[in-house]
Amino acid sequence: MAKKEKKTRFAPKLNIKKGDKVKVIAGNDKGEVGDVVEVFPDKNRAIVEGVNMKKKHRKPTQDQPGGIVDIPASIHISNLMLVDPKSGEATRIGRKMVDGKLVRYAKKSGELIK
């Protein structure tokens, strides 16, 4: 029988969003910087451009040739830190109210994020 997926009531609020510039702080790709392509909140994972590359064997189709291609695999959110827009270093993230909206800010410089 197929294993049943665990259902959660809601997805957790994550500090990292699609389009953010992040730095890998743990694992084989430690120290690399890239942009977040996709986030999976229910699994606490994200796909970062150029990080955690895996080989995939593709069959040829009408659109693309076959062969071995590199694709980015997901990486756990806990191994990523947002890059501060002001200093370019990894920073923690806080949330505060600005004009009645909850916005993210870099704790290292106090700079608002997007």
Side-chain angles (χ1 to χ4, degrees), residues 55-96:
K55 301 276 188 198
K56 177 146 176 95
H57 295 254
R58 278 236 169 102
K59 289 185 82 172
T61 63
Q62 288 181 344
D63 300 334
Q64 62 188 8
I68 301 171
V69 295
D70 285 332
I71 60 164
S74 67
I75 186 169
H76 200 269
I77 293 284
S78 65
N79 297 330
L80 301 174
M81 277 186 91
L82 192 81
V83 173
D84 193 345
K86 198 173 199 178
S87 67
E89 298 175 5
T91 181
R92 292 182 298 152
I93 299 162
R95 294 176 192 274
K96 62 183 175 183

mmCIF file of all heavy atoms in Angstrom, residues 55-96:
data_model
loop_
_atom_site.group_PDB
_atom_site.id
_atom_site.type_symbol
_atom_site.label_atom_id
_atom_site.label_comp_id
_atom_site.label_asym_id
_atom_site.label_seq_id
_atom_site.Cartn_x
_atom_site.Cartn_y
_atom_site.Cartn_z
ATOM 1 N N LYS A 55 22.089 15.204 -10.956
ATOM 2 C CA LYS A 55 22.059 14.733 -12.340
ATOM 3 C C LYS A 55 20.723 14.049 -12.599
ATOM 4 O O LYS A 55 20.216 13.314 -11.755
ATOM 5 C CB LYS A 55 23.175 13.724 -12.595
ATOM 6 C CG LYS A 55 24.566 14.256 -12.349
ATOM 7 C CD LYS A 55 25.062 14.995 -13.545
ATOM 8 C CE LYS A 55 26.525 15.359 -13.345
ATOM 9 N NZ LYS A 55 26.957 16.386 -14.224
ATOM 10 N N LYS A 56 20.157 14.305 -13.779
ATOM 11 C CA LYS A 56 18.907 13.645 -14.167
ATOM 12 C C LYS A 56 19.067 13.120 -15.581
ATOM 13 O O LYS A 56 19.510 13.842 -16.473
ATOM 14 C CB LYS A 56 17.753 14.635 -14.105
ATOM 15 C CG LYS A 56 16.437 14.033 -14.559
ATOM 16 C CD LYS A 56 15.291 14.597 -13.803
ATOM 17 C CE LYS A 56 13.985 14.064 -14.328
ATOM 18 N NZ LYS A 56 13.528 12.922 -13.588
ATOM 19 N N HIS A 57 18.701 11.873 -15.775
ATOM 20 C CA HIS A 57 18.754 11.260 -17.100
ATOM 21 C C HIS A 57 17.418 11.527 -17.788
ATOM 22 O O HIS A 57 16.374 11.114 -17.310
ATOM 23 C CB HIS A 57 18.995 9.750 -16.975
ATOM 24 C CG HIS A 57 20.330 9.429 -16.389
ATOM 25 N ND1 HIS A 57 21.369 8.956 -17.126
ATOM 26 C CD2 HIS A 57 20.806 9.533 -15.127
ATOM 27 C CE1 HIS A 57 22.419 8.773 -16.349
ATOM 28 N NE2 HIS A 57 22.096 9.119 -15.123
ATOM 29 N N ARG A 58 17.459 12.249 -18.917
ATOM 30 C CA ARG A 58 16.243 12.626 -19.637
ATOM 31 C C ARG A 58 16.134 11.867 -20.939
ATOM 32 O O ARG A 58 17.097 11.734 -21.685
ATOM 33 C CB ARG A 58 16.305 14.114 -19.969
ATOM 34 C CG ARG A 58 15.886 14.976 -18.835
ATOM 35 C CD ARG A 58 14.756 15.889 -19.260
ATOM 36 N NE ARG A 58 14.209 16.510 -18.064
ATOM 37 C CZ ARG A 58 14.470 17.743 -17.690
ATOM 38 N NH1 ARG A 58 15.234 18.502 -18.419
ATOM 39 N NH2 ARG A 58 13.958 18.213 -16.599
ATOM 40 N N LYS A 59 14.935 11.399 -21.213
ATOM 41 C CA LYS A 59 14.676 10.781 -22.526
ATOM 42 C C LYS A 59 14.426 11.884 -23.536
ATOM 43 O O LYS A 59 13.868 12.923 -23.201
ATOM 44 C CB LYS A 59 13.444 9.883 -22.441
ATOM 45 C CG LYS A 59 13.688 8.609 -21.644
ATOM 46 C CD LYS A 59 12.494 7.708 -21.704
ATOM 47 C CE LYS A 59 12.516 6.925 -22.986
ATOM 48 N NZ LYS A 59 11.491 5.892 -23.064
ATOM 49 N N PRO A 60 14.814 11.682 -24.779
ATOM 50 C CA PRO A 60 14.562 12.717 -25.777
ATOM 51 C C PRO A 60 13.073 12.825 -26.116
ATOM 52 O O PRO A 60 12.356 11.828 -26.131
ATOM 53 C CB PRO A 60 15.365 12.253 -26.988
ATOM 54 C CG PRO A 60 15.581 10.805 -26.787
ATOM 55 C CD PRO A 60 15.573 10.560 -25.310
ATOM 56 N N THR A 61 12.634 14.046 -26.367
ATOM 57 C CA THR A 61 11.266 14.296 -26.817
ATOM 58 C C THR A 61 11.357 15.177 -28.061
ATOM 59 O O THR A 61 12.441 15.531 -28.513
ATOM 60 C CB THR A 61 10.447 15.021 -25.726
ATOM 61 O OG1 THR A 61 11.036 16.292 -25.478
ATOM 62 C CG2 THR A 61 10.395 14.220 -24.440
ATOM 63 N N GLN A 62 10.204 15.558 -28.583
ATOM 64 C CA GLN A 62 10.196 16.436 -29.750
ATOM 65 C C GLN A 62 10.764 17.803 -29.406
ATOM 66 O O GLN A 62 11.350 18.472 -30.247
ATOM 67 C CB GLN A 62 8.775 16.592 -30.285
ATOM 68 C CG GLN A 62 8.262 15.347 -30.967
ATOM 69 C CD GLN A 62 6.858 15.559 -31.501
ATOM 70 O OE1 GLN A 62 6.173 16.490 -31.117
ATOM 71 N NE2 GLN A 62 6.438 14.682 -32.402
ATOM 72 N N ASP A 63 10.577 18.236 -28.166
ATOM 73 C CA ASP A 63 11.003 19.569 -27.756
ATOM 74 C C ASP A 63 12.472 19.642 -27.360
ATOM 75 O O ASP A 63 13.127 20.655 -27.580
ATOM 76 C CB ASP A 63 10.152 20.059 -26.581
ATOM 77 C CG ASP A 63 8.680 20.118 -26.943
ATOM 78 O OD1 ASP A 63 8.382 20.264 -28.132
ATOM 79 O OD2 ASP A 63 7.847 20.023 -26.025
ATOM 80 N N GLN A 64 12.992 18.593 -26.722
ATOM 81 C CA GLN A 64 14.349 18.652 -26.184
ATOM 82 C C GLN A 64 15.122 17.372 -26.469
ATOM 83 O O GLN A 64 14.538 16.304 -26.546
ATOM 84 C CB GLN A 64 14.296 18.902 -24.681
ATOM 85 C CG GLN A 64 13.600 17.782 -23.918
ATOM 86 C CD GLN A 64 13.376 18.132 -22.465
ATOM 87 O OE1 GLN A 64 13.594 19.251 -22.060
ATOM 88 N NE2 GLN A 64 12.947 17.168 -21.697
ATOM 89 N N PRO A 65 16.442 17.495 -26.597
ATOM 90 C CA PRO A 65 17.256 16.286 -26.798
ATOM 91 C C PRO A 65 17.437 15.540 -25.482
ATOM 92 O O PRO A 65 17.289 16.114 -24.407
ATOM 93 C CB PRO A 65 18.588 16.850 -27.290
ATOM 94 C CG PRO A 65 18.649 18.221 -26.714
ATOM 95 C CD PRO A 65 17.228 18.711 -26.661
ATOM 96 N N GLY A 66 17.753 14.277 -25.576
ATOM 97 C CA GLY A 66 17.976 13.479 -24.388
ATOM 98 C C GLY A 66 19.386 13.665 -23.856
ATOM 99 O O GLY A 66 20.212 14.337 -24.461
ATOM 100 N N GLY A 67 19.672 13.057 -22.730
ATOM 101 C CA GLY A 67 21.004 13.128 -22.137
ATOM 102 C C GLY A 67 20.938 13.334 -20.641
ATOM 103 O O GLY A 67 19.876 13.237 -20.027
ATOM 104 N N ILE A 68 22.086 13.601 -20.064
ATOM 105 C CA ILE A 68 22.178 13.830 -18.627
ATOM 106 C C ILE A 68 22.218 15.331 -18.387
ATOM 107 O O ILE A 68 23.081 16.029 -18.898
ATOM 108 C CB ILE A 68 23.434 13.151 -18.053
ATOM 109 C CG1 ILE A 68 23.386 11.654 -18.331
ATOM 110 C CG2 ILE A 68 23.541 13.406 -16.558
ATOM 111 C CD1 ILE A 68 24.660 10.919 -17.996
ATOM 112 N N VAL A 69 21.261 15.830 -17.620
ATOM 113 C CA VAL A 69 21.169 17.267 -17.344
ATOM 114 C C VAL A 69 21.282 17.508 -15.844
ATOM 115 O O VAL A 69 20.944 16.647 -15.026
ATOM 116 C CB VAL A 69 19.854 17.865 -17.878
ATOM 117 C CG1 VAL A 69 19.798 17.800 -19.383
ATOM 118 C CG2 VAL A 69 18.646 17.184 -17.274
ATOM 119 N N ASP A 70 21.762 18.701 -15.475
ATOM 120 C CA ASP A 70 21.836 19.104 -14.078
ATOM 121 C C ASP A 70 20.570 19.857 -13.715
ATOM 122 O O ASP A 70 20.182 20.798 -14.412
ATOM 123 C CB ASP A 70 23.042 20.012 -13.838
ATOM 124 C CG ASP A 70 24.346 19.254 -13.836
ATOM 125 O OD1 ASP A 70 24.326 18.055 -13.489
ATOM 126 O OD2 ASP A 70 25.381 19.854 -14.163
ATOM 127 N N ILE A 71 19.927 19.464 -12.602
ATOM 128 C CA ILE A 71 18.758 20.175 -12.112
ATOM 129 C C ILE A 71 18.972 20.494 -10.631
ATOM 130 O O ILE A 71 19.597 19.710 -9.926
ATOM 131 C CB ILE A 71 17.447 19.375 -12.302
ATOM 132 C CG1 ILE A 71 17.501 18.043 -11.562
ATOM 133 C CG2 ILE A 71 17.128 19.164 -13.749
ATOM 134 C CD1 ILE A 71 16.162 17.394 -11.389
ATOM 135 N N PRO A 72 18.476 21.637 -10.155
ATOM 136 C CA PRO A 72 18.623 21.946 -8.730
ATOM 137 C C PRO A 72 17.603 21.161 -7.908
ATOM 138 O O PRO A 72 16.423 21.104 -8.255
ATOM 139 C CB PRO A 72 18.366 23.449 -8.660
ATOM 140 C CG PRO A 72 17.557 23.754 -9.865
ATOM 141 C CD PRO A 72 17.919 22.753 -10.907
ATOM 142 N N ALA A 73 18.071 20.544 -6.832
ATOM 143 C CA ALA A 73 17.191 19.820 -5.911
ATOM 144 C C ALA A 73 16.860 20.748 -4.744
ATOM 145 O O ALA A 73 17.535 21.759 -4.524
ATOM 146 C CB ALA A 73 17.864 18.548 -5.427
ATOM 147 N N SER A 74 15.837 20.405 -3.977
ATOM 148 C CA SER A 74 15.431 21.254 -2.863
ATOM 149 C C SER A 74 16.421 21.134 -1.709
ATOM 150 O O SER A 74 17.138 20.142 -1.579
ATOM 151 C CB SER A 74 14.024 20.884 -2.401
ATOM 152 O OG SER A 74 14.013 19.596 -1.839
ATOM 153 N N ILE A 75 16.462 22.167 -0.891
ATOM 154 C CA ILE A 75 17.337 22.215 0.277
ATOM 155 C C ILE A 75 16.489 22.687 1.455
ATOM 156 O O ILE A 75 15.539 23.457 1.272
ATOM 157 C CB ILE A 75 18.540 23.145 0.012
ATOM 158 C CG1 ILE A 75 19.543 23.090 1.146
ATOM 159 C CG2 ILE A 75 18.112 24.557 -0.258
ATOM 160 C CD1 ILE A 75 20.857 23.768 0.821
ATOM 161 N N HIS A 76 16.796 22.210 2.659
ATOM 162 C CA HIS A 76 15.982 22.547 3.828
ATOM 163 C C HIS A 76 16.140 24.028 4.169
ATOM 164 O O HIS A 76 17.221 24.602 4.062
ATOM 165 C CB HIS A 76 16.367 21.678 5.027
ATOM 166 C CG HIS A 76 15.300 21.618 6.063
ATOM 167 N ND1 HIS A 76 15.245 22.516 7.109
ATOM 168 C CD2 HIS A 76 14.236 20.799 6.212
ATOM 169 C CE1 HIS A 76 14.195 22.236 7.869
ATOM 170 N NE2 HIS A 76 13.564 21.189 7.338
ATOM 171 N N ILE A 77 15.037 24.641 4.584
ATOM 172 C CA ILE A 77 14.999 26.065 4.897
ATOM 173 C C ILE A 77 15.998 26.421 6.007
ATOM 174 O O ILE A 77 16.583 27.501 6.006
ATOM 175 C CB ILE A 77 13.566 26.473 5.325
ATOM 176 C CG1 ILE A 77 12.599 26.359 4.161
ATOM 177 C CG2 ILE A 77 13.532 27.868 5.921
ATOM 178 C CD1 ILE A 77 12.692 27.445 3.144
ATOM 179 N N SER A 78 16.219 25.503 6.951
ATOM 180 C CA SER A 78 17.113 25.791 8.071
ATOM 181 C C SER A 78 18.560 25.952 7.626
ATOM 182 O O SER A 78 19.382 26.493 8.368
ATOM 183 C CB SER A 78 17.023 24.684 9.124
ATOM 184 O OG SER A 78 17.502 23.458 8.597
ATOM 185 N N ASN A 79 18.904 25.497 6.426
ATOM 186 C CA ASN A 79 20.264 25.624 5.910
ATOM 187 C C ASN A 79 20.453 26.898 5.078
ATOM 188 O O ASN A 79 21.484 27.061 4.452
ATOM 189 C CB ASN A 79 20.624 24.409 5.049
ATOM 190 C CG ASN A 79 20.623 23.145 5.858
ATOM 191 O OD1 ASN A 79 20.905 23.160 7.055
ATOM 192 N ND2 ASN A 79 20.301 22.035 5.228
ATOM 193 N N LEU A 80 19.458 27.780 5.077
ATOM 194 C CA LEU A 80 19.506 29.005 4.280
ATOM 195 C C LEU A 80 19.361 30.224 5.176
ATOM 196 O O LEU A 80 18.631 30.191 6.165
ATOM 197 C CB LEU A 80 18.378 29.015 3.248
ATOM 198 C CG LEU A 80 18.336 27.875 2.252
ATOM 199 C CD1 LEU A 80 17.070 27.980 1.417
ATOM 200 C CD2 LEU A 80 19.564 27.871 1.375
ATOM 201 N N MET A 81 20.078 31.302 4.813
ATOM 202 C CA MET A 81 19.903 32.595 5.477
ATOM 203 C C MET A 81 19.762 33.667 4.414
ATOM 204 O O MET A 81 20.445 33.634 3.386
ATOM 205 C CB MET A 81 21.101 32.938 6.359
ATOM 206 C CG MET A 81 21.058 32.316 7.717
ATOM 207 S SD MET A 81 22.401 32.914 8.758
ATOM 208 C CE MET A 81 21.615 34.299 9.534
ATOM 209 N N LEU A 82 18.892 34.612 4.671
ATOM 210 C CA LEU A 82 18.681 35.713 3.741
ATOM 211 C C LEU A 82 19.911 36.607 3.705
ATOM 212 O O LEU A 82 20.544 36.844 4.727
ATOM 213 C CB LEU A 82 17.458 36.520 4.165
ATOM 214 C CG LEU A 82 16.959 37.516 3.142
ATOM 215 C CD1 LEU A 82 16.119 36.783 2.113
ATOM 216 C CD2 LEU A 82 16.138 38.573 3.794
ATOM 217 N N VAL A 83 20.244 37.114 2.515
ATOM 218 C CA VAL A 83 21.371 38.039 2.364
ATOM 219 C C VAL A 83 20.847 39.456 2.569
ATOM 220 O O VAL A 83 19.855 39.867 1.963
ATOM 221 C CB VAL A 83 22.022 37.878 0.977
ATOM 222 C CG1 VAL A 83 23.068 38.947 0.751
ATOM 223 C CG2 VAL A 83 22.638 36.499 0.849
ATOM 224 N N ASP A 84 21.522 40.200 3.453
ATOM 225 C CA ASP A 84 21.150 41.579 3.769
ATOM 226 C C ASP A 84 21.284 42.450 2.516
ATOM 227 O O ASP A 84 22.333 42.470 1.888
ATOM 228 C CB ASP A 84 22.079 42.109 4.860
ATOM 229 C CG ASP A 84 21.591 43.405 5.465
ATOM 230 O OD1 ASP A 84 20.715 44.044 4.866
ATOM 231 O OD2 ASP A 84 22.089 43.779 6.542
ATOM 232 N N PRO A 85 20.232 43.189 2.127
ATOM 233 C CA PRO A 85 20.307 44.007 0.908
ATOM 234 C C PRO A 85 21.310 45.159 1.024
ATOM 235 O O PRO A 85 21.817 45.638 0.019
ATOM 236 C CB PRO A 85 18.883 44.539 0.735
ATOM 237 C CG PRO A 85 18.193 44.321 2.011
ATOM 238 C CD PRO A 85 18.904 43.231 2.742
ATOM 239 N N LYS A 86 21.621 45.591 2.234
ATOM 240 C CA LYS A 86 22.530 46.718 2.430
ATOM 241 C C LYS A 86 23.996 46.278 2.463
ATOM 242 O O LYS A 86 24.828 46.798 1.736
ATOM 243 C CB LYS A 86 22.176 47.430 3.740
ATOM 244 C CG LYS A 86 22.722 48.817 3.866
ATOM 245 C CD LYS A 86 22.169 49.464 5.108
ATOM 246 C CE LYS A 86 22.299 50.961 5.048
ATOM 247 N NZ LYS A 86 21.723 51.597 6.226
ATOM 248 N N SER A 87 24.318 45.282 3.311
ATOM 249 C CA SER A 87 25.720 44.895 3.505
ATOM 250 C C SER A 87 26.149 43.702 2.663
ATOM 251 O O SER A 87 27.338 43.479 2.467
ATOM 252 C CB SER A 87 25.959 44.576 4.980
ATOM 253 O OG SER A 87 25.246 43.413 5.360
ATOM 254 N N GLY A 88 25.208 42.895 2.192
ATOM 255 C CA GLY A 88 25.549 41.718 1.402
ATOM 256 C C GLY A 88 25.933 40.513 2.235
ATOM 257 O O GLY A 88 26.387 39.505 1.708
ATOM 258 N N GLU A 89 25.765 40.587 3.558
ATOM 259 C CA GLU A 89 26.069 39.474 4.451
ATOM 260 C C GLU A 89 24.781 38.755 4.843
ATOM 261 O O GLU A 89 23.695 39.298 4.718
ATOM 262 C CB GLU A 89 26.758 39.995 5.715
ATOM 263 C CG GLU A 89 28.083 40.684 5.464
ATOM 264 C CD GLU A 89 28.653 41.282 6.738
ATOM 265 O OE1 GLU A 89 28.072 41.070 7.817
ATOM 266 O OE2 GLU A 89 29.688 41.959 6.634
ATOM 267 N N ALA A 90 24.920 37.529 5.344
ATOM 268 C CA ALA A 90 23.756 36.771 5.807
ATOM 269 C C ALA A 90 23.207 37.419 7.072
ATOM 270 O O ALA A 90 23.965 37.889 7.923
ATOM 271 C CB ALA A 90 24.144 35.326 6.076
ATOM 272 N N THR A 91 21.889 37.455 7.184
ATOM 273 C CA THR A 91 21.256 38.102 8.329
ATOM 274 C C THR A 91 20.004 37.350 8.745
ATOM 275 O O THR A 91 19.417 36.606 7.955
ATOM 276 C CB THR A 91 20.897 39.569 8.006
ATOM 277 O OG1 THR A 91 20.295 40.168 9.154
ATOM 278 C CG2 THR A 91 19.907 39.652 6.859
ATOM 279 N N ARG A 92 19.614 37.564 9.993
ATOM 280 C CA ARG A 92 18.338 37.031 10.463
ATOM 281 C C ARG A 92 17.228 37.998 10.043
ATOM 282 O O ARG A 92 17.497 39.130 9.640
ATOM 283 C CB ARG A 92 18.357 36.863 11.982
ATOM 284 C CG ARG A 92 19.312 35.760 12.408
ATOM 285 C CD ARG A 92 19.304 35.565 13.893
ATOM 286 N NE ARG A 92 19.757 36.799 14.540
ATOM 287 C CZ ARG A 92 19.378 37.154 15.766
ATOM 288 N NH1 ARG A 92 18.560 36.411 16.470
ATOM 289 N NH2 ARG A 92 19.834 38.274 16.302
ATOM 290 N N ILE A 93 15.982 37.526 10.156
ATOM 291 C CA ILE A 93 14.843 38.298 9.670
ATOM 292 C C ILE A 93 13.881 38.569 10.810
ATOM 293 O O ILE A 93 13.601 37.692 11.627
ATOM 294 C CB ILE A 93 14.112 37.513 8.559
ATOM 295 C CG1 ILE A 93 15.065 37.278 7.400
ATOM 296 C CG2 ILE A 93 12.879 38.248 8.079
ATOM 297 C CD1 ILE A 93 14.632 36.205 6.482
ATOM 298 N N GLY A 94 13.384 39.795 10.860
ATOM 299 C CA GLY A 94 12.355 40.156 11.824
ATOM 300 C C GLY A 94 11.131 40.653 11.083
ATOM 301 O O GLY A 94 11.167 40.890 9.871
ATOM 302 N N ARG A 95 10.051 40.835 11.826
ATOM 303 C CA ARG A 95 8.818 41.366 11.238
ATOM 304 C C ARG A 95 8.339 42.525 12.096
ATOM 305 O O ARG A 95 8.398 42.466 13.326
ATOM 306 C CB ARG A 95 7.735 40.292 11.182
ATOM 307 C CG ARG A 95 8.065 39.140 10.249
ATOM 308 C CD ARG A 95 6.983 38.066 10.340
ATOM 309 N NE ARG A 95 7.407 36.848 9.681
ATOM 310 C CZ ARG A 95 7.254 36.610 8.385
ATOM 311 N NH1 ARG A 95 6.693 37.503 7.621
ATOM 312 N NH2 ARG A 95 7.661 35.478 7.862
ATOM 313 N N LYS A 96 7.878 43.602 11.436
ATOM 314 C CA LYS A 96 7.327 44.732 12.167
ATOM 315 C C LYS A 96 6.229 45.391 11.340
ATOM 316 O O LYS A 96 6.163 45.208 10.128
ATOM 317 C CB LYS A 96 8.418 45.741 12.528
ATOM 318 C CG LYS A 96 9.135 46.382 11.356
ATOM 319 C CD LYS A 96 10.230 47.312 11.860
ATOM 320 C CE LYS A 96 11.044 47.867 10.716
ATOM 321 N NZ LYS A 96 12.136 48.713 11.173
#
